[in-house]
Amino acid sequence: MRFKYFTIAFLAAAQLIACNDDSAQNPDPMDKEPNTVNNNQPSVSTESKLVLASDCDQVREHIADVFTEEFLSRVYPPPEENVSNTNGNNAVFGPPSDVSGTNTQVEGVDEIDTVKTDGEHIYALFGQGYGQDVVIVKSWPPEEIAEVARLELNARGLLLHEDKLVVLGDYEEERIDPSTGRPHVLGPFYGTQVTIVDVADPANPVIEQQKIIESYLVDGRMIDGEVYLVTSGQLKRPGRLNHVAIATDLDFPQFAPNERPQDWDTINQLKADIRAPMRVEIVNRLNQQPLTDLFPVMRDVQSGSVETLLDCNEYYLPPRLTEVGFLNVTNFNLGGDTVLETTSLASSGQTIYASKNSLYVTTASTRWWWGWGDTEPKSLVHKFVLTPDSRPAYRASGSFTGWVLNQFSMSEHDGHLRVATTETRWRGDTEGGNHLIVLKEEDGELIETGSVRGLAPGEEIYAIRFLGDEAYMVTFEAIDPLFTFDLSDPANPQLKGELKINGFSSYLHPLGDDHLLAVGQDGTDQGSLNGAHVQIFDVSDLSNPVRTHQHIIGGWAETAWDHKAYTYDAQKKLLAIPAAPIAYNGLLVLTVDPQTGFEEVGHIEHNDLAQRYWCELRDHRECDDPDRVWQTEMVRSRFIDDYVYSFSSVGLRVNDLAALEIERAALVLNLPIEE
């Protein structure tokens, strides 16, 4: 297999959508009641379509303009605002026939995770710190589990397809100038390391390919063995270029931090006075090296070869000034001996969503540089078409009001993108509210076809789920409104119902056609939280959603913030979630039935594995204390036939699903860092 790189530069972190619109800095208050908007006019400017640059001169001029505004904003920062960040037996075992995988948003679209399995072997990440080892465990039969191999790859996530394992990790090293032997003016080299491993013989894994993309990993998806990785980074800035912002010969007016101007008229006038000489200096410094030296590269670890991901004529320019960033969409096929194609796109990226046909990447204004001080909550979204055995094709861009919570805030259905957003700009803001917006691709742009706006002003979205023509949204401040929507008409989405209950849900999961399974926190009438709980909602009548069952867990549940920690088997009617009520820290297993509700099967702890890790491997100073209770965080679980495999930060345990007290095997898999 080989990587083959096709690149499209994509400079569109933000379109400064309303920089020339008076309403951008003086927005009209949102209505207190939700409004359904049924028209073909977008909520913000439609000027999002990107234009391919003709040559490096055009790109250099654009970059000079961007750097000028960026550095001016460093010298004269905007007025201070409090912006919110939202976001043993003798049985004969054949191969297992029922194996659970990563809990994903879209059926058939796999997601990066820390545990992958084919039933007979498990591939999991264990180790200290951010990057971890890949541990390969023989997992079947359950009583014969054993570690068979370990790869030290500083890993963050995994994808598995048949006998190919993709390992994703971080890479950073000092960049040295070969002419001087000193650190390079471009700064350190950092990136995402992509390793393809042949695991046809899991006990003897073979690294087939290893590449480093010079950008940070955002997220990734896999569809039938076709992998799509999204990475994001900034245009490299030579040290000499960064120093422009503090150049004394440009005669900047100097202010003490507590004396900086706090009104836009003064700030904009100061910028205007120095803009021209600053731009001249930036152009002079840009001309001191080839422009493409500032673009990201792809490095082949095995051969040592390095190639730039794009040329100037592959650089898409936005219609207005933006932050200079790169968004890389890397694509390769794991099936068969085929050419691996990679498309690299440049821009900034924050959240991704993928259907089987399209990939969307969003960037929120909290991550943008706004040259005119615009702090309105807006987002930009880019669409790419996914075709098997072909590189992703950039198709359209659009923008919308508000910020998305996570990947579940987006969904594609019948050619339309549905987005749930929060417009609240700062803590205590009661004007913005929350919106559900529908967009459609039209001539290179994503245009709004309809929306429901102004839901629950002063609150933020805590959970959202799109299911076919329906959607469910949870917002929270003191109580938890569950909103239901009918999206069957993309031009006229309708708010159908609302249910107010204490606490909130932070993850929603379909439970058949007429029910939702929710994980979150129970609460009081005053908004205080009582601990984790699970709930079932009957949504058969969208105009009248009803909570039919609730089970209080207490403490916290990892699933509330990480959907991949959630294991649900509809056939078995079993749910497993990492939980930490007062009594224990472990994996809680419950039966789930829309009619009868919840019943605890039991829980699994790894306290003894934690003690073995700290006392046998680490020789902790408290090991002689008989009252010391050793605990560890539970992170994942898998159902394999009639067994549950639980994963903590230190190891793996196998128990019978029918009787959790029956343990089949346990392993400590985390190894201490050698001193």
Side-chain angles (χ1 to χ4, degrees):
M1 296 184 184
R2 296 180 290 112
F3 276 101
K4 186 176 180 182
Y5 306 105
F6 295 87
T7 62
I8 299 177
F10 195 39
L11 177 65
Q15 305 302 342
L16 291 179
I17 300 159
C19 62
N20 294 321
D21 184 350
D22 291 340
S23 63
Q25 295 188 24
N26 300 286
D28 293 330
M30 291 294 296
D31 293 338
K32 298 300 183 182
E33 296 299 323
N35 299 303
T36 299
V37 179
N38 179 10
N39 54 49
N40 291 320
Q41 298 301 315
S43 56
V44 289
S45 169
T46 64
E47 296 180 11
S48 305
K49 193 172 182 179
L50 308 179
V51 179
L52 197 61
S54 58
D55 54 33
C56 285
D57 289 339
Q58 187 179 6
V59 175
R60 184 180 290 104
E61 289 298 306
H62 181 83
I63 290 175
D65 288 337
V66 172
F67 279 169
T68 299
E69 299 306 322
E70 178 182 335
F71 293 157
L72 283 172
S73 293
R74 291 191 200 176
V75 178
Y76 307 118
E80 295 180 1
E81 291 186 18
N82 184 19
V83 178
S84 174
N85 291 317
T86 55
N87 324 84
N89 57 38
N90 296 318
V92 176
F93 285 88
S97 58
D98 185 9
V99 180
S100 66
T102 299
N103 178 39
T104 61
Q105 179 181 6
V106 179
E107 184 177 358
V109 181
D110 199 9
E111 301 180 18
I112 298 170
D113 202 357
T114 56
V115 173
K116 293 292 181 181
T117 183
D118 58 10
E120 296 188 78
H121 288 85
I122 288 170
Y123 306 85
L125 302 188
F126 285 94
Q128 304 297 311
Y130 194 55
Q132 300 178 308
D133 295 344
V134 180
V135 181
I136 303 177
V137 176
K138 177 188 176 185
S139 56
W140 197 259
E143 293 178 330
E144 299 177 12
I145 68 171
E147 178 180 334
V148 297
R150 182 179 292 257
L151 298 170
E152 298 180 3
L153 289 173
N154 194 36
R156 287 180 53 196
L158 305 170
L159 289 166
L160 177 67
H161 178 70
E162 298 178 349
D163 59 359
K164 294 294 185 292
L165 179 71
V166 178
V167 183
L168 304 166
D170 294 321
Y171 184 90
E172 183 172 351
E173 70 176 16
E174 188 69 43
R175 197 191 313 255
I176 302 298
D177 188 333
S179 63
T180 65
R182 302 178 63 183
H184 202 286
V185 295
L186 295 178
F189 178 89
Y190 67 88
T192 299
Q193 183 166 280
V194 183
T195 305
I196 300 177
V197 184
D198 186 328
V199 290
D201 179 2
N204 296 286
V206 178
I207 294 177
E208 289 189 341
Q209 299 187 57
Q210 201 166 42
K211 310 285 185 178
I212 301 173
I213 306 167
E214 193 180 13
S215 293
Y216 290 117
L217 179 66
V218 176
D219 207 343
R221 297 291 186 268
M222 183 172 70
I223 304 170
D224 297 328
E226 198 91 23
V227 176
Y228 303 93
L229 303 178
V230 178
T231 59
S232 181
Q234 295 296 308
L235 186 78
K236 293 193 282 286
R237 291 162 170 79
R240 68 176 77 94
L241 189 60
N242 280 322
H243 293 161
V244 170
I246 57 174
T248 57
D249 56 344
L250 293 181
D251 195 26
F252 292 122
Q254 300 296 312
F255 299 98
N258 61 346
E259 296 177 351
R260 288 174 177 168
Q262 292 297 307
D263 65 279
W264 281 114
D265 289 342
T266 301
I267 291 172
N268 288 334
Q269 184 58 53
L270 289 168
K271 288 182 178 181
D273 292 343
I274 199 66
R275 181 172 282 112
M278 176 179 276
R279 190 183 188 284
V280 170
E281 184 64 24
I282 287 174
V283 171
N284 290 338
R285 299 190 186 201
L286 280 175
N287 287 334
Q288 293 180 24
Q289 69 279 305
L291 190 63
T292 52
D293 284 356
L294 307 183
F295 293 175
V297 301
M298 181 84 75
R299 178 188 295 180
D300 188 307
V301 175
Q302 293 154 314
S303 69
S305 63
V306 177
E307 56 184 300
T308 303
L309 286 180
L310 62 145
D311 293 323
C312 289
N313 60 1
E314 297 168 314
Y315 203 110
Y316 276 87
L317 297 173
R320 300 183 181 184
L321 295 186
T322 75
E323 176 186 42
V324 184
F326 288 92
L327 176 68
N328 309 302
V329 180
T330 301
N331 160 243
F332 50 92
N333 194 321
L334 294 174
D337 188 14
T338 59
V339 173
L340 300 177
E341 299 181 333
T342 297
T343 301
S344 181
L345 314 171
S347 174
S348 347
Q350 185 176 356
T351 305
I352 80 169
Y353 161 80
S355 66
K356 283 194 170 184
N357 303 310
S358 306
L359 173 71
Y360 296 87
V361 185
T362 67
T363 298
S365 58
T366 49
R367 308 221 0 169
W368 298 348
W369 158 74
W370 297 80
W372 287 265
D374 186 359
T375 56
E376 291 300 299
K378 301 167 187 170
S379 296
L380 185 70
V381 60
H382 308 298
K383 177 182 179 179
F384 306 94
V385 175
L386 307 181
T387 304
D389 299 317
S390 178
R391 64 184 177 93
Y394 165 67
R395 285 289 292 271
S397 294
S399 54
F400 49 82
T401 305
W403 303 320
V404 300
L405 173 67
N406 54 33
Q407 66 188 62
F408 290 94
S409 299
M410 294 179 280
S411 171
E412 184 183 68
H413 184 67
D414 289 342
H416 290 80
L417 174 67
R418 293 88 61 85
V419 184
T421 74
T422 293
E423 192 183 354
T424 300
R425 289 172 289 174
W426 50 77
R427 293 177 179 85
D429 177 20
T430 59
E431 298 298 330
N434 304 278
H435 317 305
L436 193 151
I437 302 168
V438 183
L439 304 107
K440 182 179 178 63
E441 179 188 341
E442 188 174 301
D443 191 27
E445 297 191 59
L446 294 171
I447 304 298
E448 181 181 321
T449 63
S451 64
V452 179
R453 297 182 172 277
L455 293 160
E459 301 186 10
E460 297 180 12
I461 293 174
Y462 270 55
I464 177 72
R465 196 71 190 243
F466 294 93
L467 299 172
D469 287 330
E470 300 174 358
Y472 309 91
M473 177 192 296
V474 173
T475 64
F476 178 73
E477 184 180 40
I479 59 173
D480 168 4
L482 170 67
F483 298 104
T484 60
F485 302 86
D486 179 355
L487 308 181
S488 56
D489 181 358
N492 189 28
Q494 294 289 320
L495 172 65
K496 300 296 290 185
E498 177 182 356
L499 173 65
K500 292 185 177 181
I501 53 178
N502 292 338
F504 64 84
S505 299
S506 52
Y507 176 67
L508 302 174
H509 192 90
L511 192 63
D513 294 332
D514 297 327
H515 295 84
L516 285 178
L517 179 57
V519 182
Q521 287 276 323
D522 184 39
T524 67
D525 292 341
Q526 292 73 38
S528 299
L529 300 178
N530 295 329
H533 69 167
V534 288
Q535 306 170 89
I536 295 176
F537 296 98
D538 184 337
V539 291
S540 56
D541 179 0
L542 287 180
S543 64
N544 184 35
V546 178
R547 183 174 71 181
T548 55
H549 301 283
Q550 178 191 30
H551 181 80
I552 305 294
I553 300 171
W556 61 266
E558 180 71 15
T559 313
W561 312 111
D562 181 359
H563 69 280
K564 297 172 189 175
Y566 176 108
T567 302
Y568 173 68
D569 189 309
Q571 296 298 320
K572 292 182 171 70
K573 295 186 176 181
L574 286 176
L575 169 67
I577 56 175
I582 296 175
Y584 65 89
N585 188 335
L587 183 75
L588 174 63
V589 181
L590 308 100
T591 60
V592 181
D593 187 285
Q595 307 307 318
T596 61
F598 302 96
E599 183 177 348
E600 288 197 12
V601 177
H603 69 271
I604 301 166
E605 298 180 57
H606 284 200
N607 294 358
D608 59 323
L609 297 184
Q611 184 174 10
R612 284 164 54 188
Y613 170 76
W614 286 107
C615 297
E616 296 178 16
L617 300 179
R618 298 292 299 269
D619 193 22
H620 195 277
R621 64 180 180 276
E622 297 182 17
C623 289
D624 294 331
D625 183 355
D627 297 324
R628 178 70 157 86
V629 177
W630 301 92
Q631 291 188 334
T632 184
E633 180 184 7
M634 202 71 70
V635 292
R636 292 289 187 272
S637 63
R638 294 291 183 266
F639 298 152
I640 301 180
D641 279 358
D642 297 324
Y643 304 91
V644 55
Y645 291 65
S646 55
F647 301 83
S648 68
S649 57
V650 298
L652 161 66
R653 170 164 274 134
V654 187
N655 295 76
D656 283 22
L657 273 172
L660 292 183
E661 67 275 10
I662 299 177
E663 177 188 309
R664 296 298 176 176
L667 294 174
V668 174
L669 297 172
N670 196 355
L671 298 181
I673 298 174
E674 295 184 6
E675 300 294 340

